[in-house]
Amino acid sequence: MSPAPRTRAATALALGALPALLLGPSTGSAHAAHPPAAPRAEAAPLPARLADTGGARQLLIATAPDTRSTRGTLTWWERRADGAWRERGRAAARFGAGGLVEGTRREQGTNTTPTGLFGLPFAFGNEAAPEGTRLPYRPVTPRSWWCEDNASRAYNRWSEPRAADCRAEESERLADYPVQYAHALVTDFNYRHPVRGRGAGIFLHVDGKGATAGCVSVPSATMRALLRWVRPGARLAVGTEEGATRVTRY
């Protein structure tokens, strides 16, 4: 018997399948293999990632790449009525010549900047307060000292005149630093209940010629702008980008 009918049927089936072979997998299978990427969520603003803000509505955040750094960035933020944080400015910052160290482990005389979350109790300066300054502001006089003598009852305090038990060689006469202390903010590092030997006179002040002795410093124009902006209750957070002293720990 002739095999022709079966051959024609097989040929028709083969030709019918040819378009699918030429076109490749269907678009449906391609979508199944490679689903569209989900939109990336934006990272929360830095203040929202801090462990604690101290209830502040204004935050200054000084961040260094690591604990050996003497340079980094200061940003300042304000919390709006809806609870969202808004960045209000940023500037280059300088830290201690010895880098940064956990505030609770800092030792006086190491030129290290302590990390942590600090209050800003008052401001001072060799120059007049910028117009609009809201924090208490103390003008520096030739008799203004910051006592850093561990043996003094005035340890880590403004002393005017210098306390009798506060040795000059262990302290700072504020008028001797007309550039750095043209304007400054006092931090409450080791201030409320001072621990002897931990350190004294940690400020946010104007840049000098190099790294600091443990303070945070910024350009003079930034310091003036901050004094006009800061309100009572503001906080300063200091830390690194990563590691045990990362700023988001505080």
Side-chain angles (χ1 to χ4, degrees):
M1 296 178 58
S2 172
R6 185 167 21 168
T7 301
R8 285 196 298 270
T11 301
L13 287 173
L15 290 174
L18 184 59
L21 294 173
L22 293 175
L23 291 174
S26 69
T27 54
S29 62
H31 282 303
H34 303 286
R40 296 177 62 182
E42 292 186 9
L46 186 54
R49 289 181 273 138
L50 265 60
D52 185 17
T53 63
R57 301 198 69 84
Q58 288 183 316
L59 278 175
L60 294 82
I61 305 179
T63 310
D66 53 55
T67 55
R68 296 168 296 178
S69 300
T70 61
R71 295 179 181 269
T73 304
L74 178 76
T75 56
W76 50 104
W77 304 75
E78 196 157 39
R79 194 171 191 179
R80 302 184 310 197
D82 63 1
W85 287 98
R86 177 186 178 190
E87 183 177 337
R88 301 305 301 267
R90 62 176 51 222
R94 305 201 73 169
F95 300 96
L100 294 86
V101 68
E102 172 65 46
T104 58
R105 295 191 293 106
R106 185 181 188 271
E107 295 180 6
Q108 188 161 327
T110 56
N111 291 335
T112 51
T113 296
T115 62
L117 181 69
F118 310 115
L120 301 168
F122 68 94
F124 69 90
N126 280 286
E127 297 181 11
E131 184 177 355
T133 298
R134 298 290 183 88
L135 284 184
Y137 190 91
R138 297 191 70 165
V140 172
T141 77
R143 302 175 58 185
S144 303
W145 289 77
W146 197 273
C147 184
E148 299 177 3
D149 185 346
N150 280 282
S152 174
R153 289 174 295 176
Y155 178 67
N156 202 19
R157 288 291 185 275
W158 181 292
S159 185
E160 186 171 347
R162 178 171 53 86
D165 68 346
C166 182
R167 291 170 291 173
E169 63 272 21
E170 296 290 329
S171 304
E172 284 189 336
R173 182 175 177 268
L174 301 178
D176 290 342
Y177 302 90
V179 174
Q180 293 94 324
Y181 298 159
H183 297 110
L185 283 163
V186 174
T187 78
D188 66 6
F189 167 74
N190 202 32
Y191 183 77
R192 299 185 186 282
H193 305 287
V195 175
R196 311 288 165 157
R198 182 162 291 169
I202 300 299
F203 310 131
L204 173 61
H205 63 69
V206 176
D207 284 334
K209 293 182 179 179
T212 73
C215 298
V216 179
S217 71
V218 293
S220 58
T222 298
M223 199 67 235
R224 290 193 298 272
L226 288 173
L227 285 178
R228 290 190 291 265
W229 176 74
V230 169
R231 301 292 183 263
R235 297 286 187 273
L236 169 67
V238 182
T240 53
E241 294 175 2
E242 301 292 343
T245 56
R246 63 190 180 280
V247 74
T248 51
R249 278 189 54 218
Y250 304 110

